[in-house]
Amino acid sequence: MKPKLVEPAPPLAQIESDLDALLRDGKPIRRDFGNGNRLHMDRPLPFLCVHVGSHQDAAFHAASANASYLIATDIGLAREAARLVVRRLRDHCGAFLMLDIGELAEDRFLTEDVPFLPPFEIALACGDTAAEKAALKRFATAASAREAKYRTPRVDELNPTTRAEARLLDDLGDAACLTVRFAPIYRVPGTKRVYPELHDLVVANMVDSALQAVSAFLKASRLEQPATHRSLGRRAYIDAVVRADRAIDNVASTFDFLLAVTPINAEPAWLEFQAGAFERVPVLLYRPLEFEVAGQKRKLYSVSLDHLEDPLLTTLLSQKQQELDLQLSMLAARETPRFVELGRALYGSVEPSLAARARTILERLPPVASAARQTGLGADAVAAAARDMIAGYRAAYPDFDASVEIRGDLPAGLLVSRNRLLVSRDTNLPPERLTALLSHEIGVHLLTYFNGDAQGLAIFRNGLAGYEGMQEGLAVLAEYLVGGMTAARLRLIAARVIACQAMLEGATFEETFRILHRDFGLDDRGAFNVVLRVYRGGGLAKDAIYLRGMVQVLDHLKDGGSLTPFWIGKISAAHFGAIQELNARGLLRAPRLEPAFLSSDAARPRLKKAMAGIDPIDMVET
């Protein structure tokens, strides 16, 4: 006998089974039916975004960016599947809104008197209930308030012809429905090409407006509104996001940018510079790269970000991709004039206001006597204290798996590389600076690495693009909160800004040394250490971010901002809104750890003072 073939379950039967699992067990639905048909629901939600038609248009991406969507190439399947979802979820949620999202056939010029950048059309329709009308009104208001860049939207009702094409509205019976059609303004006229940036802006506008419409619908239905409409967004990473994040992390983990641009012969270089009466630039030596830059760039841009179904995460990963590309370009250009300009692109120039603030600090705080360079704590003592502090964090969070290494190929001081704290063999640290420095490196840099590692995506432990300024600002704040902000330390941070400005304006190594030593009173070894950091690799503009980040943190506190979001992982001030949205959507966990120094009796009055508003120079305690 021939084996009996088992017929596959029809799509509606599969959907019915999936909905049972969703409502009974909270199991997400991601059901593909072939031919591009898909139902996705990451949790029971009171809405479903539906798109019928092409997978190549912005409406497809606007629908599939939501936590609950149905993509169908066939109107019949869309109708039956939508009815089934509406019936089950309306009973479960108390009310349910269908959003039928599509595009108009063409981009019509709505006015004759605007030769450039005429408004573009968004057409809406809904049923007769008060809740549906509230959803339409909110969508119209939200969409009209957001410029799509180059073109502003104008919202009208669907015309009779288009309404006849939008059949879901009339096919769903008594189901609440909002139909959205928008002009394809992102397409290059007369071609199949698109303007990518404009496409992404249109998608973001449609997604945000749709979620606002759902929120208004729930309010009009007398159901509980979400705290923010953004909390109706995705609460799970799809596999494509996880794969892209992992692939970008694989590239990032092949190199440590700062180690690669840090000289391995700092002490011999100092002796050479000193022997030459501070007039000849010392020879600086660097670690050879253990990878091919071009090869890593190919890997980096082989990571596709086209199907992540989440505009915000796509943006964050794309920005990180570009930052890594720039870092790789800099490593390829070490010790060449291009290195400086690439560094300017990565870290920015020194703005006049920041330079003026740095000069004020150096002029108002007296130079530190050279006696401060007496013998202090060596590498072994610092490493032992670091291991003790790490053990305290590990006791609270066992996954705080940090290591401490003493290295002979680093300038004096400490450096964090991913989950490692590197201590230079030449370290000579004043005892009163120990707690401050360890709070800086362990309490901020390592803590945010491990908190970020717990978020589910590596980008939060490696750092969102441009995160370093805020990280260093928080780390310097930590030094102040534990009582370790000395005049010498603040002068050093200010001197780095002056050195960066001089370097970017074309001053030589020895000229910048003279500016710091003769004009601002740094002792010869201190001035050399600053200049060495700024001219490493060929000229690195990074060191201006310490003072800049400190000012950003103090302004944030003065404006009533909380520090808690910054412990989630390595983020920048520019990403504060993105972090708030991801929090609202439930995609981020609360920090596993907060810095130990925040709970100390010594830190509380200083934090209160900072929240009231202070200048960096007020952080110095006499």
Side-chain angles (χ1 to χ4, degrees):
M1 291 180 59
K2 292 183 178 181
K4 186 177 179 180
L5 296 176
V6 178
E7 293 291 334
L12 295 183
Q14 293 175 331
I15 292 175
E16 186 78 50
S17 175
D18 289 340
L19 288 170
D20 285 340
L22 175 73
L23 298 179
R24 183 183 63 246
D25 306 321
K27 184 178 179 181
I29 299 173
R30 191 168 178 85
R31 173 67 66 181
D32 288 297
F33 305 109
N35 299 321
N37 299 299
R38 176 188 297 146
L39 175 66
H40 173 99
M41 303 182 75
D42 74 12
R43 63 193 188 279
L45 285 164
F47 72 96
L48 181 72
C49 291
V50 181
H51 174 68
V52 182
S54 171
H55 287 33
Q56 305 300 319
D57 57 23
F60 165 80
H61 292 104
S64 60
N66 285 280
S68 177
Y69 72 80
L70 172 67
I71 301 297
T73 54
D74 174 68
I75 184 67
L77 174 61
R79 183 191 307 118
E80 296 303 320
R83 282 176 177 168
L84 182 55
V85 172
V86 168
R87 177 173 59 83
R88 297 294 302 276
L89 270 296
R90 182 170 56 189
D91 292 343
H92 180 81
C93 299
F96 195 85
L97 179 66
M98 186 74 59
L99 294 109
D100 175 11
I101 300 178
E103 296 187 12
L104 299 169
E106 60 180 352
D107 178 17
R108 300 184 300 138
F109 283 179
L110 300 181
T111 58
E112 297 293 338
D113 59 342
V114 182
F116 303 105
L117 309 183
F120 74 93
E121 186 176 7
I122 298 178
L124 305 176
C126 71
D128 295 327
T129 68
E132 289 169 283
K133 291 178 180 179
L136 185 148
K137 183 178 179 181
R138 177 69 68 83
F139 189 104
T141 300
S144 300
R146 289 178 60 132
E147 290 190 7
K149 199 174 184 182
Y150 316 117
R151 305 278 295 278
T152 54
R154 193 177 82 186
V155 181
D156 296 307
E157 292 187 15
L158 281 174
N159 62 50
T161 301
T162 306
R163 187 179 178 112
E165 295 172 355
R167 286 175 288 173
L168 276 181
L169 177 65
D170 299 318
D171 287 345
L172 291 177
D174 63 347
C177 188
L178 172 63
T179 301
V180 178
R181 295 291 183 268
F182 58 89
I185 64 168
Y186 61 91
R187 295 196 180 279
V188 179
T191 75
K192 294 184 179 181
R193 300 193 307 273
V194 303
Y195 302 110
E197 182 184 15
L198 191 52
H199 171 279
D200 294 347
L201 287 168
V202 169
V203 169
N205 190 356
M206 294 301 110
V207 172
D208 187 77
S209 300
L211 295 181
Q212 291 201 46
V214 174
S215 183
F217 173 81
L218 295 175
K219 181 179 181 181
S221 300
R222 298 184 178 179
L223 296 175
E224 183 179 357
Q225 276 187 282
T228 166
H229 65 283
R230 285 292 182 175
S231 65
L232 296 167
R234 289 175 178 267
R235 287 190 181 174
Y237 302 123
I238 65 171
D239 288 343
V241 170
V242 175
R243 286 195 301 270
D245 172 72
R246 187 181 300 124
I248 290 175
D249 179 56
N250 286 340
V251 174
S253 62
T254 60
F255 67 96
D256 184 301
F257 177 73
L258 288 181
L259 275 179
V261 299
T262 297
I264 60 175
N265 65 325
E267 187 64 22
W270 157 246
L271 296 174
E272 180 185 345
F273 190 56
Q274 186 183 44
F278 310 133
E279 295 292 339
R280 295 194 304 271
V281 182
V283 175
L284 302 179
L285 304 178
Y286 300 91
R287 298 164 183 80
L289 299 181
E290 298 178 7
F291 59 91
E292 182 192 18
V293 169
Q296 291 305 315
K297 285 198 172 194
R298 284 193 296 271
K299 289 182 182 178
L300 182 64
Y301 282 108
S302 69
V303 181
S304 174
L305 304 179
D306 293 337
H307 305 291
L308 306 190
E309 299 182 5
D310 192 316
L312 179 56
L313 291 175
T314 300
T315 297
L316 296 181
L317 289 170
S318 176
Q319 289 173 347
K320 189 63 180 180
Q321 213 175 28
Q322 294 169 38
E323 182 181 73
L324 289 170
D325 176 31
L326 195 50
Q327 288 180 339
L328 287 166
S329 295
M330 291 182 69
L331 294 183
R334 280 190 309 184
E335 301 182 272
T336 73
R338 289 187 63 244
F339 185 89
V340 176
E341 296 310 316
L342 290 167
R344 193 195 301 267
L346 184 61
Y347 294 109
S349 297
V350 176
E351 56 271 33
S353 60
L354 185 66
R357 191 186 294 267
R359 286 190 177 87
T360 298
I361 291 170
L362 289 168
E363 290 166 357
R364 287 181 55 186
L365 294 177
V368 178
S370 58
R373 296 203 169 274
Q374 294 174 350
T375 301
L377 299 174
D380 292 323
V382 172
R387 292 187 181 101
D388 287 343
M389 183 178 285
I390 288 170
Y393 280 109
R394 189 180 293 125
Y397 179 44
D399 288 339
F400 198 95
D401 188 24
S403 62
V404 179
E405 299 177 18
I406 297 176
R407 301 275 291 259
D409 59 348
L410 293 174
L414 279 64
L415 173 68
V416 165
S417 176
R418 296 174 74 87
N419 65 335
R420 300 177 300 160
L421 177 65
L422 310 181
V423 181
S424 169
R425 174 57 68 188
D426 294 327
T427 294
N428 180 26
L429 185 69
E432 65 272 17
R433 283 281 302 153
L434 177 64
T435 301
L437 188 56
L438 295 184
S439 297
H440 177 126
E441 302 292 352
I442 299 172
V444 175
H445 295 330
L446 282 176
L447 178 136
T448 50
Y449 176 89
F450 288 107
N451 279 343
D453 190 49
Q455 297 301 336
L457 293 181
I459 193 173
F460 294 110
R461 76 173 183 222
N462 293 333
L464 301 183
Y467 78 92
E468 290 175 296
M470 183 55 67
Q471 271 279 297
E472 298 302 351
L474 292 167
V476 172
L477 177 70
E479 298 181 39
Y480 163 66
L481 293 180
V482 300
M485 182 52 66
T486 63
R489 175 60 171 164
L490 188 59
R491 279 178 56 82
L492 181 67
I493 291 170
R496 291 175 179 176
V497 174
I498 300 301
C500 282
Q501 182 185 48
M503 182 270 292
L504 290 172
E505 291 178 353
T508 64
F509 186 105
E510 59 272 26
E511 288 170 345
T512 303
F513 172 84
R514 285 195 291 271
I515 290 171
L516 299 183
H517 183 46
R518 298 179 185 175
D519 298 350
F520 291 105
L522 272 72
D523 64 46
D524 50 16
R525 185 61 192 266
F528 172 80
N529 288 342
V530 171
V531 175
L532 180 73
R533 290 174 58 100
V534 170
Y535 281 81
R536 56 182 159 168
L540 187 66
K542 174 182 181 288
D543 274 9
I545 68 175
Y546 290 81
L547 184 58
R548 184 187 294 125
M550 186 198 313
V551 172
Q552 287 179 331
V553 170
L554 292 176
D555 287 345
H556 176 76
L557 289 172
K558 183 180 178 181
D559 293 339
S562 168
L563 292 178
T564 301
F566 293 111
W567 310 130
I568 284 172
K570 295 183 183 293
I571 70 172
S572 74
H575 291 121
F576 197 67
I579 295 301
Q580 288 179 312
E581 176 180 336
L582 293 173
N583 259 329
R585 286 161 52 182
L587 276 172
L588 294 179
R589 300 174 177 176
R592 292 296 180 93
L593 290 169
E594 287 207 346
F597 56 76
L598 286 179
S599 58
S600 70
D601 292 337
R604 292 192 188 98
R606 294 188 180 99
L607 183 58
K608 185 176 180 180
K609 181 180 175 183
M611 293 170 69
I614 60 173
D615 189 85
I617 205 165
D618 300 323
M619 298 167 75
V620 175
E621 298 179 356
T622 56

